[in-house]
Amino acid sequence: MLHAPGPQVDDHMAVDVALSVLIGARVPHLLLQDEDGRCTGLVTRAQLAAHHAGLWFSERTRLRDISLDRGPFTVSTAALGVAEAAMRTRTLSVSPVVDEHGYALGVLAITS
């Protein structure tokens, strides 16, 4: 099922700020974008919370510095079955859908 992209944040945002944005927006994930607005990744609440609780956490840690899904992303021209199979292979429940230039159009979610 394709959903609106939801909140998109800059990939050099601090992890603790991103966690606050995610909680405040009441969404399960954030899309990351580069300085040109292209999609660079997707991060979940669980990933941010785990990183925030780790001994390695620093207030200076940026989203671009942590492990998260950085693609490949689902292209808008992909057949639904192919996209779903790729997500299952990578054990993803959500994947950004991007246009030919890398801009997020939405998020594809697998509902089991």
Side-chain angles (χ1 to χ4, degrees):
M1 175 173 277
L2 184 64
H3 300 280
Q8 298 181 51
V9 298
D10 198 60
D11 64 0
H12 67 268
M13 178 180 278
V15 169
D16 55 341
V17 174
L19 186 56
S20 294
V21 169
L22 198 145
I23 291 169
R26 296 181 180 174
V27 294
H29 59 266
L30 296 171
L31 291 180
L32 309 183
Q33 60 186 19
D34 64 13
E35 62 277 352
D36 296 322
R38 290 184 178 88
C39 186
T40 61
L42 180 140
V43 66
T44 66
R45 182 179 301 203
Q47 288 170 313
L48 290 177
H51 187 79
H52 194 268
L55 296 175
W56 55 87
F57 175 74
S58 162
E59 289 182 4
R60 290 185 227 158
T61 304
R62 305 291 176 213
L63 290 172
R64 66 175 172 237
D65 299 329
I66 66 172
S67 289
L68 51 93
D69 181 30
R70 297 195 187 278
F73 305 123
T74 304
V75 293
S76 60
T77 57
L80 184 57
V82 172
E84 185 177 324
M87 289 172 64
R88 289 190 191 283
T89 299
R90 294 179 56 215
T91 64
L92 300 174
S93 59
V94 293
S95 176
V97 177
V98 296
D99 67 12
E100 65 274 7
H101 303 291
Y103 295 101
L105 300 173
V107 176
L108 185 62
I110 295 178
T111 54
S112 303

